[in-house]
Amino acid sequence: MSTATKPKHIGRNISRIRELRGMKQEALAIAIGMSQQTISNIEGSETVDDEKLNAIAEALGVSAEAIKNFSDESVLNIIGNTYHDSNVVNGSAYECNFNPLDKVVELYERLVQAEKDKVEYLERLMKGK
């Protein structure tokens, strides 16, 4: 069994970064003056020439090195750390200032009352005929 490391798939990295940025292939293609099909081909290739890579990096708002060294694991670590840290301010966690269950009960009661009003209205219509 070989322990040689597999080279990074630059095209896949471009695709993942583009998706994380919420950009479609067509938008990236327009930004760098290429066709959507060309972007699709680039994302399918393991290597990308430096000129294209620099143009794509600029359009995505990252460095070429960031594309080369991108990994899903590091993104997940950043998101995980940011998420957990963002819920705490001055040592205390954000808390909801209302009980969500109370809101559900309130909504249910309003829906029941609306149905009662409909029934009453329909009964008055029927008596009128």
Side-chain angles (χ1 to χ4, degrees):
M1 190 176 206
S2 174
T3 59
T5 58
K6 197 169 147 183
K8 296 232 178 207
H9 194 289
I10 304 300
R12 193 173 302 124
N13 291 353
I14 291 170
S15 174
R16 290 294 296 136
I17 292 170
R18 178 184 55 74
E19 290 167 358
L20 289 169
R21 305 282 291 173
M23 186 182 277
K24 297 204 176 281
Q25 283 183 345
E26 187 175 321
L28 179 58
I30 291 169
I32 60 175
M34 294 181 181
S35 69
Q36 180 272 327
Q37 186 61 44
T38 302
I39 298 299
S40 180
N41 291 339
I42 289 171
E43 290 182 356
S45 62
E46 283 190 36
T47 59
V48 177
D49 68 67
D50 288 338
E51 186 179 324
K52 286 180 186 173
L53 185 61
N54 289 331
I56 291 169
E58 185 176 331
L60 292 174
V62 298
S63 68
E65 285 301 312
I67 293 175
K68 290 177 184 176
N69 298 322
F70 176 82
S71 80
D72 287 326
E73 289 177 18
S74 62
V75 171
L76 292 175
N77 286 336
I78 291 169
I79 291 171
N81 292 337
T82 304
Y83 174 76
H84 293 300
D85 293 343
S86 67
N87 287 338
V88 178
V89 173
N90 297 331
S92 65
Y94 291 129
E95 293 182 20
C96 196
N97 58 4
F98 63 90
N99 184 348
L101 190 55
D102 288 343
K103 294 292 184 183
V104 170
V105 170
E106 180 184 324
L107 177 61
Y108 177 76
E109 289 172 348
R110 287 187 0 221
L111 290 171
V112 168
Q113 186 59 47
E115 289 300 316
K116 285 180 182 177
D117 292 345
K118 284 181 195 175
V119 168
E120 184 182 314
Y121 175 73
L122 290 172
E123 284 176 349
R124 279 188 303 190
L125 280 178
M126 294 301 289
K127 287 181 184 175
K129 288 192 174 189

